[in-house]
Amino acid sequence: MITIAAVGDIMPGGILAGIDDGYASKEVFDVLNKADIRVGTLETAIGDEPTFYEEKMKRMADVIYAKDHDVVKLQQLSIDIVSLANNHFFDLGPKGAEHTIQLLDEMGIKHIGAGKNLEEAQRPVVETINGKKVTFLAFCDWRNETVGWCPFASEESAGVNPMNDDYVVKEIKKYKSQSDYVVVMPHWGIEHTWTTTNHVYSLAKTMIKAGADLILGSHPHRVQPIVNCKNASVAYSMGNFLFPDRLITKPRSTYYSETPIDLSSLPVTDAYPYVEQITYKKWKPLARVGMIVNTELSENTVNSSYKLTLMGEDGVLTLLDDTKKTDQILKRRGKLLRMNTYPVFYLIERYWIAVLRKIGLKV
């Protein structure tokens, strides 16, 4: 049997910049250390002297980055593999992406899902664990309405591995023929929703049919259900993991001050506005909840369970004490995802959300 611990989005900077200990509880480390291997999504660029990607700045998009030193947190958390297939990995441009990959290589942290060309971006990590070969793949959705804009790798240009359906199926089939297990890490869905999109629902089924044994989703910044199928498991979204609050500056780029700043003196936002001054960007309460997915892979079954985590406003990551309400929501949504009528539910829910927003209610 093989055990995998998977976590959601990681951005080790923000208000935790330069902090090397005390940012996660012993219980969090204990859960991670019980697994044979640990994986997560590094949803940030890394660089001490950032040059923001010109194309992204033209679009006035959210720019996220952490400083070099803070990558050490990945080592401390014993993260073995990170997916780079996301919409923020290139926020410091191709040079920033190359620098990040170099840092990860120097620290012995393996990576998937991005590179200086498509050949590098599609390259998997293959691990032999307890005598079994496990292939890890990562893809980023290309839809502007879901993940926004980011560069996609081509034969001659740097970018992330594109999540085009036919291409994903081809890659899964290819590596399933060479491996005992295939683990797929897609960046997909719509941010800040409990609801898996119809496309994600359909693509997950397609991935399993193609040979995926475990699917570990990210991007929505909110936990979504885990569904255990007959011989596969899908975690639709693991939410945020180590992704603290941060400072932003004009237009809405991550900011690090060279001198101490009194956070209580700053304007505060939990949204994504364009700002004219240094602003304290805080996560909404539901985005503070993450998920450590624990999966057991054996010859006859694939079974996943989870522990919920909480990123406190003090920047400390702990296991969530009271999980009852979240567990109930995830359980109900999981039941819906097992039904063939899920696409109908999705359309109805999106309709009512649009109606509520039109009359001015926050949902």
Side-chain angles (χ1 to χ4, degrees):
M1 186 175 68
I2 297 167
T3 57
I4 298 174
V7 299
D9 296 332
I10 300 171
M11 199 289 275
I15 64 169
L16 292 180
I19 296 175
D20 292 345
D21 56 59
Y23 57 83
S25 70
K26 178 181 180 298
E27 289 75 17
V28 169
F29 283 98
D30 287 345
V31 172
L32 293 174
N33 288 334
K34 288 178 181 178
D36 294 315
I37 195 165
R38 289 147 290 277
V39 301
T41 293
L42 182 63
E43 192 171 20
T44 185
I46 306 292
D48 285 341
E49 298 179 0
T51 301
F52 297 148
Y53 198 9
E54 182 179 356
E55 183 63 34
K56 192 148 192 179
M57 296 303 287
K58 284 180 183 177
R59 298 166 186 264
M60 296 286 280
D62 198 23
V63 173
I64 298 176
Y65 80 99
K67 294 197 170 187
D68 289 10
H69 174 80
D70 291 307
V71 181
V72 74
K73 294 185 181 72
L74 295 176
Q75 279 187 325
Q76 293 170 338
L77 290 161
S78 301
I79 301 296
D80 300 289
I81 303 170
V82 290
S83 167
L84 307 179
N86 62 76
N87 54 307
H88 287 294
F89 180 67
F90 273 82
D91 281 9
L92 298 184
K95 288 186 178 179
E98 184 179 343
H99 172 72
T100 305
I101 289 173
Q102 182 180 348
L103 279 176
L104 294 171
D105 288 341
E106 291 173 356
M107 301 180 82
I109 299 169
K110 298 178 181 180
H111 46 84
I112 48 177
K116 65 184 180 183
N117 52 43
L118 183 58
E119 189 277 327
E120 281 195 4
Q122 67 186 185
R123 189 180 298 162
V125 166
V126 181
E127 295 284 305
T128 299
I129 308 170
N130 298 335
K132 298 293 184 179
K133 185 182 287 187
V134 186
T135 295
F136 295 85
L137 302 169
F139 305 90
C140 182
D141 197 356
W142 53 270
R143 293 164 178 78
N144 222 32
E145 65 270 21
T146 56
V147 301
W149 182 87
C150 60
F152 292 94
S154 70
E155 292 183 1
E156 298 178 351
S157 63
V160 297
N161 201 19
M163 197 182 76
N164 298 313
D165 295 17
D166 292 342
Y167 166 68
V168 168
V169 168
K170 180 181 177 182
E171 290 292 282
I172 292 172
K173 286 183 175 180
K174 172 184 175 181
Y175 289 104
K176 182 63 175 179
S177 68
Q178 305 169 15
S179 312
D180 295 292
Y181 301 105
V182 172
V183 178
V184 184
M185 300 180 69
H187 205 70
W188 58 8
I190 297 177
E191 290 186 338
H192 304 290
T193 62
W194 294 107
T195 306
T196 302
T197 69
N198 189 33
H199 174 255
V200 166
Y201 166 80
S202 298
L203 184 55
K205 293 174 72 173
T206 301
M207 287 180 177
I208 291 171
K209 188 176 180 180
D213 299 283
L214 175 61
I215 302 170
L216 301 166
S218 63
H219 178 63
H221 300 299
R222 187 182 294 183
V223 293
Q224 293 179 355
I226 292 175
V227 175
N228 288 306
C229 308
K230 185 177 181 181
N231 293 306
S233 183
V234 185
Y236 284 92
S237 172
M238 297 179 287
N240 286 332
F241 181 61
L242 189 73
F243 206 138
D245 300 326
R246 56 195 169 92
L247 301 183
I248 57 175
T249 190
K250 186 177 180 178
R252 59 184 195 189
S253 307
T254 300
Y255 174 78
Y256 293 98
S257 175
E258 295 182 0
T259 58
I261 290 182
D262 178 10
L263 297 180
S264 65
S265 68
L266 299 177
V268 177
T269 181
D270 65 358
Y272 297 91
Y274 300 129
V275 299
E276 294 295 328
Q277 60 180 310
I278 298 170
T279 300
Y280 192 16
K281 170 70 173 72
K282 301 179 72 173
W283 284 110
K284 295 178 181 180
L286 289 175
R288 296 185 177 279
V289 178
M291 179 185 282
I292 303 176
V293 177
N294 297 290
T295 302
E296 296 179 348
L297 297 169
S298 66
E299 291 185 9
N300 299 317
T301 60
V302 177
N303 187 70
S304 295
S305 59
Y306 64 85
K307 296 281 188 182
L308 295 177
T309 59
L310 178 68
M311 172 55 71
E313 292 191 21
D314 58 358
V316 178
L317 181 68
T318 61
L319 295 184
L320 185 62
D321 291 329
D322 185 4
T323 66
K324 184 176 180 181
K325 185 175 181 180
T326 304
D327 287 337
Q328 288 175 340
I329 293 172
L330 293 175
K331 187 176 181 179
R332 288 197 297 268
R333 299 284 167 144
K335 286 181 179 179
L336 287 165
L337 283 162
R338 292 183 181 91
M339 299 179 183
N340 291 328
T341 55
Y342 181 80
V344 176
F345 162 78
Y346 174 73
L347 290 173
I348 293 172
E349 182 176 75
R350 297 312 297 176
Y351 169 78
W352 281 111
I353 287 175
V355 170
L356 293 173
R357 285 176 175 167
K358 191 171 184 178
I359 63 176
L361 295 177
K362 289 185 178 182
V363 291

